């Protein structure tokens, strides 16, 4: 086996024991992984080609009909549209905020640890708690509307068609953007930590050289930091896109399994839940799951192409 | 400006705490001091919400504790085997562990639900079993512990072997105590992750008396008719967040380093 050193003389019995011990220690986790991960992958593919009753099992073999139905399902189409809209806006927004926070926290300033702790704070709470809090803040008589009214900003919002007591999560025009801002706020702390790890890998000598050449901080950031963070960008973007395409919790909590209002919060994963538990159609739900997997996998491959092969990846 | 932004991070949560001590009409007003100051929302959340937040708290605590222990035991044993023991197929099995990170939970939803439903794990207390089984061991736990075991010098366990200790004794007496920092990181991250988890609990915990805080909170609003009864909802938010907040205050280092090192939680 790779990595196995030549057995020492007289170590034969020990080697056999070691093998047995090795298998014994990994047996339970491997059983879990084989049944609940790898196995379910194939089971999902099997279920997807059947009309399946949630209690009694397979009813009728339907081949690829579940997949054909996906192509013409209007709710699935709005789920894909919403999910892509969410990902395309949320990922760059959160990356920008996360990078900004990382650069700020990376400076040699007093209270650096405290700032880092504060910026990461919104990421520690549960999605349910933080979403409920957010729904309260953006409710018609909530803090957000009260504060913008007190600051005299209402004419500006009026210009965009939002009244003084706008229900930001209940209005189909605003609901998804409200969720985007919420998740950008909570996840920017996590992205900050990812970027910090990359920032700290950049040698100080590069900046000293740039300073000698007369570069100011702004130039140093755009000419040195930003390009050198390429592996960091790739990592954060990949994690972000994978996470974005799977957005579920906030959509469920704010919009119920139906993606209210008017499908505005219907995402692909929420639709997967909906097809299984509201429409009670496991065969179709399995097909939706497989399509989601293909979308995520393709997105990851495209990113790999865009960013090229980066060191360490 | 930075201090301002840092303080802004705490405004929503502070507002939540304040609101939980207000009356409903007062909750929609822009006042920092509740008037009148009342514990009614807390009494309502504990005594009148169905199920009581005390029950939800107990369920959350029970599930998070069992899942964390299971990840510690299974993760440290397997992590040790993958890091230190030589056995045929080790690399292939470890690749399988890593491959599970590529399969999104959502793809597993339908097959896992149907499998567990067939085993009777979608009714009664089986619901707890279902949630615990599906989260019992994560590739991340094994990976983090394996990486840590790899950094421990071999001489230490070889000395124990020469003294006649078997694999298990060596693991228990020598390796495990040395791995305390990694065990602490897994404990904290796993407890927080399970306490906050939404996807599998919302799938399996159908009966309100079996639900965890995040799920109960969600259904108070969606189906429990508590949609805009803000003060008790905010009291529940506070209860759901306090344990994690306490962990964060005392073990901030583990959160920050663990997230940055594993990079698996998105």
């Amino acid at each position: 086996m790779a990595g196995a050193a030549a057995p020492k003389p007289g170590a034969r019995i020990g080697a056999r024991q070691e093998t047995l011990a090795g298998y014994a220690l990994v047996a339970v986790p491997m059983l879990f992984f084989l049944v609940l991960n790898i196995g379910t992958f194939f089971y999902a593919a099997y279920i997807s080609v059947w009309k399946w009753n949630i209690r009694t099992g397979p009813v009728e073999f339907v081949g690829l009909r579940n997949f054909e139905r996906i192509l013409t399902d209007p709710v699935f189409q709005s789920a894909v549209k919403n999910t892509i809209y969410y990902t395309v806006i949320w990922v760059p927004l959160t990356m920008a905020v996360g990078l900004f926070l990382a650069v700020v926290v990376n400076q040699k300033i007093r209270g650096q640890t405290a700032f880092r702790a504060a910026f990461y704070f919104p990421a520690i709470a549960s999605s349910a708690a933080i979403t409920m809090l957010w729904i309260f803040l953006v409710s018609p008589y909530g803090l957000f509307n009260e504060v913008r009214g007190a600051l005299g900003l209402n004419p500006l919002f009026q210009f965009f068609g939002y009244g003084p007591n706008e229900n930001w999560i209940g209005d189909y025009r605003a609901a998804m953007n409200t969720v985007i801002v919420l998740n950008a706020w909570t996840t920017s702390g996590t992205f900050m930590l990812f970027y910090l790890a990359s920032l700290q890998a950049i040698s100080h000598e590069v900046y000293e050289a740039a300073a000698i050449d007369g570069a100011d901080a702004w130039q140093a950031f755009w000419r040195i930091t930003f390009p050198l963070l390429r592996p960091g960008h790739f990592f954060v973007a990949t994690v972000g896109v994978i996470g974005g395409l799977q957005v579920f919790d906030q959509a469920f909590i704010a919009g119920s399994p139906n993606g209210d209002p008017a499908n505005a919060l219907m995402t692909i994963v929420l639709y997967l839940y909906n097809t299984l538990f509201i429409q009670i159609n496991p065969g179709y739900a399995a097909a939706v799951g497989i399509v989601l997997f293909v979308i995520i996998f393709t997105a990851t491959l495209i990113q790999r192409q865009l960013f090229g092969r980066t060191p360490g990846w | 400006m930075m201090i301002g932004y840092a303080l802004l991070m705490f405004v929503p949560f502070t507002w939540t705490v304040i609101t939980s001590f207000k009356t409903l009409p007062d909750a929609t007003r822009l006042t920092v001091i509740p008037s009148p100051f009342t514990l009614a929302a807390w009494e309502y959340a504990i005594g009148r919400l169905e199920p009581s937040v005390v029950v939800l708290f107990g369920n959350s605590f029970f599930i998070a504790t069992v899942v964390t222990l299971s990840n510690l035991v299974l993760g440290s044993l397997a992590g040790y085997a993958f890091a230190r023991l030589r056995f045929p197929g080790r690399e292939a099995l470890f690749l399988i562990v890593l491959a599970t990170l590529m399969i999104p939970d959502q793809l597993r939803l339908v097959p896992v639900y149907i499998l567990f439903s067939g085993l009777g794990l979608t009714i009664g207390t089986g619901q707890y079993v279902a949630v615990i089984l599906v989260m019992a061991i994560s590739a991340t736990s094994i990976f983090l512990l394996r990486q840590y075991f790899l950094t421990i010098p071999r001489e230490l366990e070889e000395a124990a072997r020469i003294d006649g200790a078997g694999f298990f004794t060596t693991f228990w007496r020598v390796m495990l105590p040395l791995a305390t920092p990694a065990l602490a990181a897994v404990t904290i991250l796993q407890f927080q992750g399970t306490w906050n988890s939404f996807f599998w609990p919302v799938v399996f915990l159908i009966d309100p008396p079996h639900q965890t805080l995040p799920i109960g909170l969600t259904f108070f609003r969606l189906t429990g008719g508590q949609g805009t009864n803000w003060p008790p909802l905010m009291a529940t938010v506070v209860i759901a967040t306090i344990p994690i907040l306490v962990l964060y205050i005392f073990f901030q280092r583990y959160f920050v380093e663990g997230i940055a090192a594993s990079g698996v939680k998105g």
Side-chain angles (χ1 to χ4, degrees):
Chain A
M1 224 30 246
K8 290 180 200 114
R12 261 190 197 291
I13 297 165
R16 185 148 172 248
Q17 278 179 339
E18 188 166 346
T19 302
L20 287 176
Y23 287 137
L25 295 187
V26 301
V28 177
M30 289 318 296
L31 187 71
F32 271 98
F33 289 135
L34 289 176
V35 175
L36 293 181
N37 281 282
I38 312 291
T40 55
F41 185 86
F42 297 102
Y43 197 26
Y46 177 72
I47 295 171
S48 73
V49 293
W50 289 84
K51 181 175 169 15
W52 193 287
N53 182 298
I54 201 161
R55 301 209 184 285
T56 58
V59 177
E60 183 196 351
F61 182 78
V62 296
L64 294 178
R65 243 187 292 158
N66 283 326
F67 292 92
E68 283 164 20
R69 196 186 136 197
I70 289 177
L71 295 176
T72 56
D73 182 341
V75 184
F76 183 78
Q77 280 162 11
S78 44
V80 170
K81 221 173 65 193
N82 290 338
T83 307
I84 291 177
Y85 175 79
Y86 171 85
T87 307
V88 166
I89 310 282
W90 174 73
V91 173
L93 178 64
T94 314
M95 283 174 78
V97 178
L99 177 58
F100 175 75
L101 295 179
V103 170
V104 165
V105 168
N106 199 37
Q107 269 150 18
K108 303 258 169 296
I109 42 158
R110 271 179 49 184
Q112 191 203 35
T113 321
F115 280 115
R116 193 178 62 177
F119 295 154
Y120 186 65
F121 174 68
I124 65 162
S126 67
S127 53
I130 210 93
T131 307
M132 198 61 65
L133 179 167
W134 199 254
I135 292 171
F136 173 54
L137 293 185
V138 301
S139 63
Y141 297 92
L143 185 66
F144 178 71
N145 282 346
E146 299 285 334
V147 168
R148 74 180 160 105
L151 292 177
L153 292 173
N154 279 351
L156 180 67
F157 285 93
Q158 200 73 53
F159 178 78
F160 289 105
Y162 296 111
N165 290 314
E166 170 70 21
N167 184 354
W168 295 98
I169 203 77
D171 180 342
Y172 74 96
R173 295 172 301 163
M176 188 53 97
N177 289 334
T178 304
V179 169
I180 289 175
V181 175
L182 160 66
N183 286 359
W185 174 56
T186 56
T187 314
S188 54
T190 311
F191 283 13
M192 169 193 76
L193 292 182
F194 292 153
Y195 269 127
L196 263 180
S198 302
L199 276 176
Q200 281 156 2
I202 299 177
S203 134
H204 277 285
E205 289 159 24
V206 192
Y207 292 105
E208 281 158 21
I212 291 167
D213 290 344
D216 60 30
W218 186 249
Q219 285 171 326
F221 175 78
W222 285 109
R223 300 274 175 80
I224 300 173
T225 313
F226 197 79
L228 282 178
L229 279 176
R230 197 179 158 93
H233 295 315
F234 176 70
F235 178 74
V236 177
T238 306
V239 171
V241 168
I242 292 175
L245 293 174
Q246 298 181 46
V247 59
F248 172 77
D249 299 9
Q250 296 77 13
F252 187 110
I253 295 156
S256 85
N258 297 319
D260 295 332
N263 283 334
L265 291 180
M266 182 58 86
T267 67
I268 302 179
V269 180
L270 191 58
Y271 192 56
L272 176 58
Y273 180 97
N274 185 293
T275 50
L276 182 60
F277 293 112
I278 308 295
Q279 304 178 24
I280 316 186
N281 190 344
Y284 189 53
V288 171
I290 288 169
V291 170
L292 174 70
F293 176 70
V294 171
I295 293 175
I296 292 174
F297 201 73
T298 313
T300 315
L301 287 182
I302 292 174
Q303 277 180 311
R304 196 162 278 240
Q305 286 297 316
L306 281 179
F307 285 84
R309 285 189 66 80
T310 44
W313 273 84
Chain B
M1 193 199 92
M2 263 176 67
I3 297 173
Y5 189 79
L7 290 177
L8 198 61
M9 298 287 105
F10 298 104
V11 167
F13 192 68
T14 312
W15 190 247
T16 303
V17 177
I18 292 170
T19 303
S20 74
F21 294 109
K22 284 183 167 185
T23 57
L24 182 54
D26 193 28
T28 57
R29 279 196 288 266
L30 193 58
T31 49
V32 178
I33 314 278
S35 75
F37 180 92
T38 172
L39 292 174
W42 287 82
E43 285 162 10
Y44 189 92
I46 290 166
R48 304 254 301 280
L49 279 180
E50 202 52 55
S52 159
V53 292
V54 178
V55 172
L56 299 177
F57 189 96
N59 290 335
S60 278
F61 192 81
F62 170 68
I63 290 175
T65 306
V66 175
V67 168
T68 305
L69 282 177
S70 152
N71 269 279
L72 278 176
V73 173
L74 297 176
S76 59
L77 289 171
Y80 172 63
F82 281 125
R84 277 297 200 263
L85 301 183
R86 301 184 191 99
F87 53 95
R90 185 180 75 172
E91 315 300 319
L93 289 174
F94 190 62
L95 270 182
I96 292 180
V97 173
L98 294 183
T100 63
L101 291 172
M102 299 279 294
I103 300 177
D105 274 350
Q106 291 74 27
L107 178 63
R108 298 159 58 200
L109 168 64
V110 177
V112 167
Y113 184 83
I114 289 191
L115 183 69
F116 283 2
S117 165
L119 296 171
L121 296 180
T122 49
I123 45 167
T125 47
Q127 297 171 55
Y128 291 133
V129 181
V131 168
I132 289 168
L133 280 180
V134 82
M135 300 198 284
I137 179 66
S138 73
T140 316
S141 305
I142 295 184
F143 184 74
L144 282 178
L145 287 161
R146 172 188 178 262
Q147 298 309 96
Y148 198 85
F149 282 128
L150 283 176
T151 65
I152 297 175
R154 269 185 187 278
E155 290 75 32
L156 291 166
E157 49 185 324
E158 271 160 18
R161 291 276 183 78
I162 289 164
D163 292 346
F167 292 109
F168 190 74
T169 316
T170 312
F171 169 75
W172 185 251
R173 291 276 169 77
V174 180
M175 295 299 272
L176 217 47
L178 288 171
T180 312
L183 294 171
V186 170
T187 305
I188 288 158
L189 292 177
Q190 195 67 54
F191 189 88
Q192 184 228 12
T194 313
W195 181 275
N196 287 347
S197 63
F198 188 79
F199 186 73
W200 291 113
V202 85
V203 165
F204 284 115
L205 305 176
I206 307 296
D207 298 342
H210 292 100
Q211 283 168 349
T212 57
L213 279 162
I215 312 308
L217 184 56
T218 302
F219 286 111
F220 285 154
R221 188 178 104 83
L222 289 180
T223 56
Q226 306 291 341
T228 51
N229 195 1
W230 300 115
L233 283 179
M234 291 305 113
T236 313
V237 168
V238 173
I239 293 170
T241 312
I242 286 287
I244 300 303
L245 185 64
V246 170
L247 274 184
Y248 186 59
I249 289 168
F250 285 102
F251 302 106
Q252 195 236 114
R253 196 164 60 86
Y254 290 107
F255 278 83
V256 169
E257 287 167 9
I259 300 287
S262 70
V264 177
K265 279 199 173 315

